[in-house]
Amino acid sequence: MASLPKEPPEDAKKQSFWMPGNYVRTVHRTEKSFQACNDIVACFTERAKVEKQYAQQLSQWSSKWKSIVDSRPLYGSLMRAWQCFFTSTERLSALHSSISQSLMVEEGGRVKTWQKEIFPKKILCGFRESHNNKTSFSRAQKPWSQKLMKLETARVAYHKSCQREQAALDKEKQANENTELSPEKKQKVTEAREKITEEKEKIRGRYEKLLEDATSYTPRYMEEMEAIFDEAQEEERKRISFLKQAFLSIHRHLDVTNDESVKAVYSELHHTLMSINEEDDLKWWKNNHGPGMPTDWPKIAEWVPPIKKLNRKKREQKQKRENRPVMIGGVKVRAMYDYVGEEGDELSFKAGDT
């Protein structure tokens, strides 16, 4: 069997929305919501700076190691795979730089613009919404607060009369137990106690009447207060709804796991890594630095007689003869390769001679 709800402690009752002046928490909520918007903008402006710094660090890391890797002895598909990390990082750096820009300009600007529109101020009165709510709550609560004050005054008077009655009852009891007192004195004590009791009942009657008056007014009081509260709630609902959408938009910027460009970066990187082929790399090394390289194997080298050196005068005469075009069938020709005349009637020439 479910236990009955416990009565709230006295302090909690005093903190109730219905008690005089406690509506100020709802009034001050507007100002706190405005401050929350400032905090949200500051929070994600700082996050934007983190994204920017991260983008810069990625770029710096890529530039540093790209130059180092280019000078390392790796080759082939393994080298291409290592280098792919740097091209991927550059693309990620650009992405995080874009995220930083979006958070600061797009999201931060949107919240600030909305904040100016949704929190209008009144000259010398702070926020218009807070001022209007405070005025409305105060006006609705004033009659009930007055009744509550009268009721409290009556309660204090009633409790004092009860104390006086209790003191009179104790005195009457002592008088009746005192055998030395005359019946006349005992009668006077009893009459005094009866008068106090009668006065107490009158005070209680006024107390009950004021309570009845306050109780009968309570439904109207609650209706008016709830109507004002509901209006304040509706304004807060709009703020919560907007900030929810703002948070979702920020989430879309930050959630790189669903970004197609990020997926493409890591997909291409993975494809490049899977393309590492040890057989192709080993074959390349064999053909460029190993047994697969072309070479001139030893063979018989025929003896070629050395060209006789001419003295300067004969050399100049020979150059003049060689520079004179040779006519073959009336056509000038140009040598395509070097040739050393082996017979006395053969010419010696170099490629390009005419």
Side-chain angles (χ1 to χ4, degrees), residues 87-136:
T87 56
S88 300
T89 300
E90 288 298 332
R91 292 165 67 182
L92 290 176
S93 173
L95 171 66
H96 285 281
S97 181
S98 174
I99 291 174
S100 172
Q101 189 72 5
S102 297
L103 290 178
M104 292 189 69
V105 178
E106 184 178 336
E107 300 303 333
R110 189 156 69 98
V111 172
K112 287 180 179 178
T113 300
W114 170 82
Q115 188 182 23
K116 291 179 181 178
E117 295 174 354
I118 207 70
F119 293 100
K121 292 187 177 182
K122 196 170 184 178
I123 298 175
L124 303 178
C125 297
F127 295 105
R128 183 182 300 167
E129 181 184 331
S130 297
H131 174 75
N132 292 343
N133 285 339
K134 183 178 181 181
T135 302
S136 298

Short mmCIF file of all heavy atoms in Angstrom, two decimals, residues 87-136:
data_model
loop_
_atom_site.label_atom_id
_atom_site.label_comp_id
_atom_site.label_asym_id
_atom_site.label_seq_id
_atom_site.Cartn_x
_atom_site.Cartn_y
_atom_site.Cartn_z
N THR A 87 47.78 14.88 -46.44
CA THR A 87 46.72 15.49 -47.25
C THR A 87 45.37 15.38 -46.55
O THR A 87 44.56 16.31 -46.59
CB THR A 87 46.65 14.81 -48.63
OG1 THR A 87 46.44 13.39 -48.45
CG2 THR A 87 47.92 15.03 -49.42
N SER A 88 45.14 14.26 -45.85
CA SER A 88 43.89 14.10 -45.08
C SER A 88 43.83 15.11 -43.95
O SER A 88 42.78 15.70 -43.68
CB SER A 88 43.80 12.68 -44.52
OG SER A 88 43.80 11.72 -45.55
N THR A 89 44.96 15.31 -43.30
CA THR A 89 45.01 16.25 -42.18
C THR A 89 44.74 17.68 -42.64
O THR A 89 44.07 18.45 -41.94
CB THR A 89 46.37 16.16 -41.47
OG1 THR A 89 46.56 14.83 -40.97
CG2 THR A 89 46.45 17.15 -40.31
N GLU A 90 45.27 18.04 -43.81
CA GLU A 90 45.01 19.38 -44.33
C GLU A 90 43.52 19.60 -44.58
O GLU A 90 42.98 20.67 -44.31
CB GLU A 90 45.81 19.59 -45.63
CG GLU A 90 47.30 19.76 -45.42
CD GLU A 90 47.65 20.99 -44.60
OE1 GLU A 90 46.87 21.96 -44.62
OE2 GLU A 90 48.69 20.97 -43.92
N ARG A 91 42.87 18.58 -45.08
CA ARG A 91 41.42 18.69 -45.30
C ARG A 91 40.66 18.77 -43.98
O ARG A 91 39.69 19.53 -43.85
CB ARG A 91 40.94 17.49 -46.12
CG ARG A 91 41.47 17.51 -47.56
CD ARG A 91 41.32 16.19 -48.26
NE ARG A 91 39.91 15.84 -48.47
CZ ARG A 91 39.51 14.70 -49.04
NH1 ARG A 91 40.41 13.82 -49.44
NH2 ARG A 91 38.23 14.46 -49.20
N LEU A 92 41.10 18.02 -42.98
CA LEU A 92 40.47 18.11 -41.65
C LEU A 92 40.72 19.47 -41.02
O LEU A 92 39.86 20.02 -40.34
CB LEU A 92 41.01 17.00 -40.75
CG LEU A 92 40.57 15.57 -41.09
CD1 LEU A 92 41.25 14.58 -40.16
CD2 LEU A 92 39.06 15.42 -41.00
N SER A 93 41.92 20.01 -41.24
CA SER A 93 42.23 21.34 -40.72
C SER A 93 41.28 22.37 -41.31
O SER A 93 40.77 23.24 -40.59
CB SER A 93 43.68 21.70 -41.06
OG SER A 93 43.96 23.04 -40.70
N ALA A 94 41.03 22.27 -42.61
CA ALA A 94 40.10 23.20 -43.25
C ALA A 94 38.69 23.03 -42.70
O ALA A 94 37.96 24.01 -42.50
CB ALA A 94 40.11 22.97 -44.76
N LEU A 95 38.32 21.78 -42.41
CA LEU A 95 36.98 21.52 -41.86
C LEU A 95 36.83 22.16 -40.48
O LEU A 95 35.83 22.84 -40.20
CB LEU A 95 36.75 20.01 -41.76
CG LEU A 95 35.48 19.58 -41.01
CD1 LEU A 95 34.24 20.03 -41.78
CD2 LEU A 95 35.45 18.08 -40.80
N HIS A 96 37.81 21.97 -39.60
CA HIS A 96 37.71 22.52 -38.24
C HIS A 96 37.81 24.04 -38.26
O HIS A 96 37.21 24.71 -37.41
CB HIS A 96 38.79 21.92 -37.35
CG HIS A 96 38.49 20.52 -36.92
ND1 HIS A 96 37.59 20.22 -35.91
CD2 HIS A 96 38.92 19.33 -37.40
CE1 HIS A 96 37.51 18.91 -35.76
NE2 HIS A 96 38.30 18.35 -36.65
N SER A 97 38.52 24.58 -39.21
CA SER A 97 38.54 26.04 -39.37
C SER A 97 37.16 26.54 -39.77
O SER A 97 36.69 27.58 -39.30
CB SER A 97 39.57 26.42 -40.43
OG SER A 97 39.62 27.83 -40.59
N SER A 98 36.49 25.77 -40.62
CA SER A 98 35.12 26.12 -41.03
C SER A 98 34.16 26.02 -39.86
O SER A 98 33.26 26.86 -39.70
CB SER A 98 34.68 25.18 -42.16
OG SER A 98 33.31 25.39 -42.48
N ILE A 99 34.34 24.99 -39.01
CA ILE A 99 33.50 24.85 -37.82
C ILE A 99 33.67 26.05 -36.91
O ILE A 99 32.69 26.60 -36.37
CB ILE A 99 33.86 23.55 -37.07
CG1 ILE A 99 33.44 22.32 -37.89
CG2 ILE A 99 33.19 23.52 -35.69
CD1 ILE A 99 33.88 21.01 -37.28
N SER A 100 34.90 26.48 -36.72
CA SER A 100 35.18 27.65 -35.88
C SER A 100 34.45 28.88 -36.40
O SER A 100 33.82 29.63 -35.64
CB SER A 100 36.69 27.91 -35.83
OG SER A 100 36.97 29.13 -35.17
N GLN A 101 34.53 29.08 -37.72
CA GLN A 101 33.88 30.23 -38.33
C GLN A 101 32.37 30.15 -38.16
O GLN A 101 31.71 31.15 -37.86
CB GLN A 101 34.25 30.29 -39.82
CG GLN A 101 33.80 31.54 -40.53
CD GLN A 101 34.62 32.77 -40.13
OE1 GLN A 101 35.58 32.64 -39.38
NE2 GLN A 101 34.22 33.92 -40.61
N SER A 102 31.81 28.97 -38.33
CA SER A 102 30.35 28.79 -38.21
C SER A 102 29.87 29.07 -36.78
O SER A 102 28.84 29.70 -36.58
CB SER A 102 29.96 27.37 -38.62
OG SER A 102 30.26 27.14 -39.97
N LEU A 103 30.63 28.59 -35.79
CA LEU A 103 30.23 28.80 -34.39
C LEU A 103 30.25 30.27 -34.02
O LEU A 103 29.35 30.77 -33.33
CB LEU A 103 31.16 28.01 -33.46
CG LEU A 103 31.04 26.48 -33.49
CD1 LEU A 103 32.06 25.86 -32.57
CD2 LEU A 103 29.63 26.04 -33.10
N MET A 104 31.25 30.99 -34.48
CA MET A 104 31.40 32.39 -34.09
C MET A 104 30.45 33.30 -34.86
O MET A 104 29.76 34.13 -34.26
CB MET A 104 32.84 32.84 -34.30
CG MET A 104 33.84 32.20 -33.37
SD MET A 104 35.49 32.94 -33.45
CE MET A 104 35.17 34.53 -32.71
N VAL A 105 30.41 33.13 -36.16
CA VAL A 105 29.64 34.06 -36.99
C VAL A 105 28.19 33.64 -37.11
O VAL A 105 27.27 34.41 -36.80
CB VAL A 105 30.28 34.17 -38.40
CG1 VAL A 105 29.46 35.10 -39.28
CG2 VAL A 105 31.71 34.66 -38.29
N GLU A 106 27.98 32.39 -37.51
CA GLU A 106 26.61 31.93 -37.78
C GLU A 106 25.81 31.73 -36.50
O GLU A 106 24.78 32.36 -36.29
CB GLU A 106 26.68 30.63 -38.58
CG GLU A 106 25.32 30.10 -39.01
CD GLU A 106 25.43 28.83 -39.83
OE1 GLU A 106 26.50 28.61 -40.43
OE2 GLU A 106 24.45 28.07 -39.86
N GLU A 107 26.29 30.84 -35.62
CA GLU A 107 25.52 30.50 -34.42
C GLU A 107 25.56 31.63 -33.39
O GLU A 107 24.53 32.01 -32.83
CB GLU A 107 26.04 29.20 -33.80
CG GLU A 107 25.95 28.00 -34.72
CD GLU A 107 24.54 27.75 -35.21
OE1 GLU A 107 23.58 28.12 -34.50
OE2 GLU A 107 24.39 27.19 -36.31
N GLY A 108 26.75 32.16 -33.11
CA GLY A 108 26.85 33.25 -32.15
C GLY A 108 26.05 34.46 -32.58
O GLY A 108 25.33 35.08 -31.79
N GLY A 109 26.13 34.80 -33.87
CA GLY A 109 25.37 35.95 -34.39
C GLY A 109 23.88 35.72 -34.32
O GLY A 109 23.11 36.64 -34.02
N ARG A 110 23.45 34.48 -34.59
CA ARG A 110 22.01 34.18 -34.56
C ARG A 110 21.45 34.32 -33.15
O ARG A 110 20.37 34.89 -32.95
CB ARG A 110 21.79 32.76 -35.08
CG ARG A 110 20.32 32.41 -35.29
CD ARG A 110 20.21 31.28 -36.29
NE ARG A 110 20.72 30.04 -35.77
CZ ARG A 110 19.95 29.08 -35.26
NH1 ARG A 110 18.63 29.24 -35.23
NH2 ARG A 110 20.46 27.96 -34.81
N VAL A 111 22.17 33.82 -32.16
CA VAL A 111 21.70 33.92 -30.77
C VAL A 111 21.67 35.38 -30.32
O VAL A 111 20.72 35.82 -29.65
CB VAL A 111 22.59 33.08 -29.83
CG1 VAL A 111 22.22 33.33 -28.38
CG2 VAL A 111 22.44 31.59 -30.15
N LYS A 112 22.69 36.15 -30.68
CA LYS A 112 22.74 37.57 -30.28
C LYS A 112 21.59 38.35 -30.90
O LYS A 112 20.95 39.18 -30.23
CB LYS A 112 24.07 38.18 -30.70
CG LYS A 112 25.25 37.73 -29.85
CD LYS A 112 26.53 38.40 -30.32
CE LYS A 112 27.72 37.97 -29.48
NZ LYS A 112 28.98 38.58 -29.97
N THR A 113 21.31 38.10 -32.18
CA THR A 113 20.21 38.80 -32.85
C THR A 113 18.87 38.46 -32.20
O THR A 113 18.04 39.34 -31.93
CB THR A 113 20.18 38.42 -34.35
OG1 THR A 113 21.42 38.79 -34.95
CG2 THR A 113 19.04 39.15 -35.06
N TRP A 114 18.67 37.17 -31.95
CA TRP A 114 17.43 36.73 -31.30
C TRP A 114 17.32 37.31 -29.89
O TRP A 114 16.23 37.70 -29.46
CB TRP A 114 17.42 35.20 -31.25
CG TRP A 114 16.33 34.62 -30.41
CD1 TRP A 114 15.03 34.40 -30.77
CD2 TRP A 114 16.44 34.18 -29.04
NE1 TRP A 114 14.33 33.85 -29.72
CE2 TRP A 114 15.17 33.71 -28.65
CE3 TRP A 114 17.47 34.15 -28.12
CZ2 TRP A 114 14.92 33.20 -27.38
CZ3 TRP A 114 17.23 33.64 -26.86
CH2 TRP A 114 15.97 33.18 -26.51
N GLN A 115 18.42 37.38 -29.20
CA GLN A 115 18.44 37.89 -27.82
C GLN A 115 17.96 39.34 -27.78
O GLN A 115 17.19 39.72 -26.89
CB GLN A 115 19.85 37.77 -27.26
CG GLN A 115 19.97 38.09 -25.78
CD GLN A 115 21.41 37.99 -25.32
OE1 GLN A 115 22.35 38.09 -26.10
NE2 GLN A 115 21.60 37.80 -24.02
N LYS A 116 18.39 40.15 -28.74
CA LYS A 116 17.97 41.55 -28.78
C LYS A 116 16.47 41.67 -29.04
O LYS A 116 15.81 42.56 -28.51
CB LYS A 116 18.75 42.30 -29.86
CG LYS A 116 20.22 42.49 -29.53
CD LYS A 116 20.93 43.23 -30.66
CE LYS A 116 22.42 43.41 -30.35
NZ LYS A 116 23.13 44.09 -31.46
N GLU A 117 15.93 40.78 -29.85
CA GLU A 117 14.52 40.85 -30.20
C GLU A 117 13.63 40.35 -29.07
O GLU A 117 12.55 40.90 -28.84
CB GLU A 117 14.26 40.02 -31.46
CG GLU A 117 14.95 40.55 -32.70
CD GLU A 117 14.78 39.61 -33.88
OE1 GLU A 117 14.23 38.51 -33.70
OE2 GLU A 117 15.22 39.98 -35.00
N ILE A 118 14.07 39.31 -28.36
CA ILE A 118 13.20 38.63 -27.40
C ILE A 118 13.29 39.24 -26.00
O ILE A 118 12.45 38.96 -25.14
CB ILE A 118 13.55 37.12 -27.34
CG1 ILE A 118 12.32 36.29 -26.91
CG2 ILE A 118 14.71 36.87 -26.40
CD1 ILE A 118 11.24 36.23 -27.93
N PHE A 119 14.28 40.08 -25.74
CA PHE A 119 14.44 40.68 -24.41
C PHE A 119 14.42 42.21 -24.52
O PHE A 119 15.43 42.87 -24.21
CB PHE A 119 15.75 40.23 -23.76
CG PHE A 119 15.80 38.78 -23.40
CD1 PHE A 119 16.45 37.86 -24.22
CD2 PHE A 119 15.19 38.31 -22.25
CE1 PHE A 119 16.51 36.52 -23.89
CE2 PHE A 119 15.24 36.98 -21.91
CZ PHE A 119 15.89 36.07 -22.74
N PRO A 120 13.30 42.79 -24.92
CA PRO A 120 13.23 44.27 -24.99
C PRO A 120 13.31 44.87 -23.59
O PRO A 120 12.86 44.27 -22.62
CB PRO A 120 11.87 44.53 -25.64
CG PRO A 120 11.05 43.33 -25.30
CD PRO A 120 12.00 42.17 -25.28
N LYS A 121 13.87 46.06 -23.51
CA LYS A 121 14.02 46.73 -22.22
C LYS A 121 13.13 47.96 -22.16
O LYS A 121 12.76 48.54 -23.18
CB LYS A 121 15.48 47.12 -21.98
CG LYS A 121 16.40 45.92 -21.78
CD LYS A 121 17.80 46.35 -21.38
CE LYS A 121 18.68 45.15 -21.11
NZ LYS A 121 20.04 45.55 -20.67
N LYS A 122 12.81 48.33 -20.94
CA LYS A 122 12.00 49.50 -20.68
C LYS A 122 12.85 50.51 -19.92
O LYS A 122 13.58 50.13 -18.99
CB LYS A 122 10.76 49.12 -19.87
CG LYS A 122 9.67 50.17 -19.86
CD LYS A 122 8.40 49.60 -19.24
CE LYS A 122 7.26 50.61 -19.32
NZ LYS A 122 5.99 50.07 -18.78
N ILE A 123 12.75 51.77 -20.30
CA ILE A 123 13.60 52.79 -19.70
C ILE A 123 13.41 52.82 -18.18
O ILE A 123 12.30 52.90 -17.67
CB ILE A 123 13.27 54.18 -20.29
CG1 ILE A 123 13.56 54.18 -21.80
CG2 ILE A 123 14.10 55.26 -19.61
CD1 ILE A 123 13.16 55.46 -22.49
N LEU A 124 14.52 52.70 -17.47
CA LEU A 124 14.57 52.75 -16.00
C LEU A 124 13.86 51.59 -15.32
O LEU A 124 13.72 51.58 -14.10
CB LEU A 124 13.96 54.07 -15.48
CG LEU A 124 14.61 55.37 -16.01
CD1 LEU A 124 13.88 56.57 -15.44
CD2 LEU A 124 16.08 55.42 -15.66
N CYS A 125 13.40 50.60 -16.09
CA CYS A 125 12.65 49.48 -15.48
C CYS A 125 13.25 48.12 -15.82
O CYS A 125 12.65 47.10 -15.51
CB CYS A 125 11.19 49.53 -15.93
SG CYS A 125 10.30 51.00 -15.41
N GLY A 126 14.38 48.10 -16.46
CA GLY A 126 14.96 46.81 -16.83
C GLY A 126 14.22 46.16 -17.98
O GLY A 126 13.73 46.84 -18.89
N PHE A 127 14.12 44.86 -17.93
CA PHE A 127 13.43 44.13 -19.00
C PHE A 127 11.93 44.37 -18.92
O PHE A 127 11.33 44.30 -17.84
CB PHE A 127 13.74 42.64 -18.90
CG PHE A 127 15.19 42.31 -19.13
CD1 PHE A 127 16.00 41.97 -18.07
CD2 PHE A 127 15.74 42.39 -20.41
CE1 PHE A 127 17.34 41.68 -18.27
CE2 PHE A 127 17.08 42.12 -20.61
CZ PHE A 127 17.88 41.77 -19.54
N ARG A 128 11.32 44.61 -20.07
CA ARG A 128 9.89 44.89 -20.13
C ARG A 128 9.08 43.72 -19.58
O ARG A 128 8.11 43.90 -18.85
CB ARG A 128 9.48 45.19 -21.56
CG ARG A 128 8.02 45.57 -21.72
CD ARG A 128 7.68 45.81 -23.18
NE ARG A 128 8.51 46.88 -23.72
CZ ARG A 128 8.62 47.15 -25.02
NH1 ARG A 128 7.99 46.40 -25.91
NH2 ARG A 128 9.38 48.16 -25.43
N GLU A 129 9.47 42.52 -19.94
CA GLU A 129 8.74 41.33 -19.48
C GLU A 129 8.78 41.22 -17.95
O GLU A 129 7.76 40.96 -17.30
CB GLU A 129 9.33 40.08 -20.12
CG GLU A 129 8.63 38.79 -19.71
CD GLU A 129 9.29 37.55 -20.27
OE1 GLU A 129 9.91 37.64 -21.36
OE2 GLU A 129 9.19 36.49 -19.63
N SER A 130 9.95 41.44 -17.37
CA SER A 130 10.07 41.36 -15.90
C SER A 130 9.21 42.43 -15.24
O SER A 130 8.51 42.16 -14.25
CB SER A 130 11.54 41.56 -15.50
OG SER A 130 12.34 40.53 -16.02
N HIS A 131 9.25 43.64 -15.78
CA HIS A 131 8.46 44.73 -15.20
C HIS A 131 6.96 44.43 -15.28
O HIS A 131 6.23 44.60 -14.29
CB HIS A 131 8.77 46.03 -15.95
CG HIS A 131 7.91 47.19 -15.52
ND1 HIS A 131 8.10 47.85 -14.32
CD2 HIS A 131 6.84 47.80 -16.13
CE1 HIS A 131 7.20 48.80 -14.20
NE2 HIS A 131 6.42 48.80 -15.28
N ASN A 132 6.51 43.95 -16.43
CA ASN A 132 5.08 43.65 -16.60
C ASN A 132 4.65 42.52 -15.69
O ASN A 132 3.57 42.57 -15.08
CB ASN A 132 4.79 43.30 -18.06
CG ASN A 132 4.96 44.49 -18.98
OD1 ASN A 132 5.00 45.63 -18.52
ND2 ASN A 132 5.08 44.23 -20.27
N ASN A 133 5.47 41.47 -15.58
CA ASN A 133 5.12 40.34 -14.71
C ASN A 133 5.07 40.77 -13.25
O ASN A 133 4.15 40.38 -12.51
CB ASN A 133 6.13 39.21 -14.88
CG ASN A 133 5.94 38.45 -16.18
OD1 ASN A 133 4.87 38.49 -16.78
ND2 ASN A 133 6.97 37.75 -16.61
N LYS A 134 6.04 41.55 -12.84
CA LYS A 134 6.07 42.00 -11.44
C LYS A 134 4.84 42.85 -11.11
O LYS A 134 4.20 42.67 -10.06
CB LYS A 134 7.34 42.82 -11.18
CG LYS A 134 7.47 43.27 -9.74
CD LYS A 134 8.79 44.02 -9.54
CE LYS A 134 8.92 44.46 -8.08
NZ LYS A 134 10.18 45.21 -7.85
N THR A 135 4.48 43.75 -12.04
CA THR A 135 3.30 44.60 -11.83
C THR A 135 2.04 43.76 -11.75
O THR A 135 1.19 43.97 -10.87
CB THR A 135 3.19 45.63 -12.97
OG1 THR A 135 4.38 46.42 -13.02
CG2 THR A 135 1.99 46.53 -12.76
N SER A 136 1.90 42.80 -12.65
CA SER A 136 0.70 41.97 -12.70
C SER A 136 0.60 41.07 -11.47
O SER A 136 -0.47 40.94 -10.86
CB SER A 136 0.69 41.12 -13.97
OG SER A 136 0.69 41.94 -15.12
#
